[in-house]
Amino acid sequence: MRYFIELSYRGTAYHGWQTQANGSSVQSTLEAALTQRLRKPVFVVGSGRTDAGVHARQQFAHFDLVEPILLSDALIYSINCILPEDIAIRTIFPVRPNDHARFSAVSRYYQYHITRYKNSFENSLTYHFRPDLEIDRMNEACQILLKYTDFKSFSKARANVDHFRCRLDFAYWQRSESDLLTFHIKANRFLWGMVRTIVGTMLEIGQDRMSLDKFEQLIVAQDRTIAGRAAPANGLYLVDVGYPAELLAQRVLFG
């Protein structure tokens, strides 16, 4: 039997999603809780590998069991009681044997949050960035970004991938009434470090330190060394992972 887990987490205390030899990860913490509650070894596969300090409002993972389990609100509650406060399971539901948390996903949607004012309650949840930014120019850069599909210039050099192509659905900046600046971006896939590097580069544009022409040139150049520095991890959130409707057919929310 294969099951999907829908969960969320605050990534501040973790060395990313993937199990690490030198620190705690969301994956290993989740596996330990499931193993303890289900009384059998459980290994999970996530929809993607968020970096150290990155948060997820919605993440999916799958695991396999020989025997079916009785899904209920009590089961979800008991696992959440084992998990630390910064990881929460929303639901667990059965899927087909060939459904895969990573390879069956059709989209990922990220947000990056920036505030100009220091907030002692959100210091690890937003990026405190004081300089004024020209949001209109940053949104013009988004329109340039949407023209392309190869984003090697925004990928970490050590990325182990066959290609650097991604299909972007949207990319834009939005300012709220509380002066929270949010970058929205959705694609079928993302490269390692891609969103944070795009944000860091667009902050250069917003401060008039990089022209729109130069921004387009660096995309075409496919050279990470000429893009901006990556923005800090604490402002980045995985917000939504998209799947075909038939995969989510048995998804029931508990609690």
Side-chain angles (χ1 to χ4, degrees), residues 60-223:
F60 284 91
H62 77 251
F63 65 94
D64 296 323
L65 291 176
V66 175
E67 299 177 355
I69 55 177
L70 178 61
L71 298 172
S72 65
D73 182 73
L75 175 66
I76 304 300
Y77 177 78
S78 64
I79 300 172
N80 276 328
C81 286
I82 298 171
L83 286 166
E85 292 296 320
D86 49 13
I87 302 176
I89 291 177
R90 188 68 181 91
T91 190
I92 300 175
F93 57 97
V95 295
R96 299 163 299 191
N98 62 335
D99 289 329
H100 194 284
R102 178 183 175 189
F103 298 123
S104 296
V106 296
S107 66
R108 283 90 172 169
Y109 168 28
Y110 280 90
Q111 292 180 359
Y112 194 94
H113 299 306
I114 296 174
T115 179
R116 292 192 65 217
Y117 303 100
K118 185 177 180 180
N119 186 323
S120 59
F121 294 101
E122 295 188 351
N123 65 309
S124 63
L125 300 174
T126 59
Y127 178 29
H128 175 215
F129 189 79
R130 185 63 182 169
D132 287 325
L133 295 168
E134 296 182 36
I135 306 305
D136 289 342
R137 291 188 75 245
M138 293 162 71
N139 274 320
E140 287 183 55
C142 288
Q143 292 305 306
I144 294 172
L145 195 71
L146 292 170
K147 292 165 50 180
Y148 293 91
T149 57
D150 192 304
F151 299 103
K152 185 176 182 179
S153 292
F154 301 114
S155 175
K156 289 186 179 180
R158 293 182 289 115
N160 183 22
V161 294
D162 296 328
H163 63 86
F164 297 89
R165 295 185 300 276
C166 308
R167 186 199 68 245
L168 297 187
D169 294 330
F170 57 70
Y172 63 93
W173 290 88
Q174 186 178 45
R175 191 191 297 277
S176 71
E177 292 182 359
S178 60
D179 209 35
L180 176 70
L181 183 60
T182 303
F183 178 56
H184 303 260
I185 187 166
K186 181 179 179 181
N188 65 321
R189 67 191 287 261
F190 286 94
L191 305 168
W192 186 17
M194 176 176 165
V195 179
R196 290 169 55 198
T197 306
I198 289 174
V199 170
T201 305
M202 288 198 176
L203 291 179
E204 295 292 304
I205 294 170
Q207 297 173 86
D208 203 18
R209 294 179 176 178
M210 179 183 292
S211 70
L212 295 174
D213 286 341
K214 184 177 179 181
F215 179 66
E216 188 158 14
Q217 289 168 13
L218 77 84
I219 298 174
V220 174
Q222 299 180 18
D223 182 357

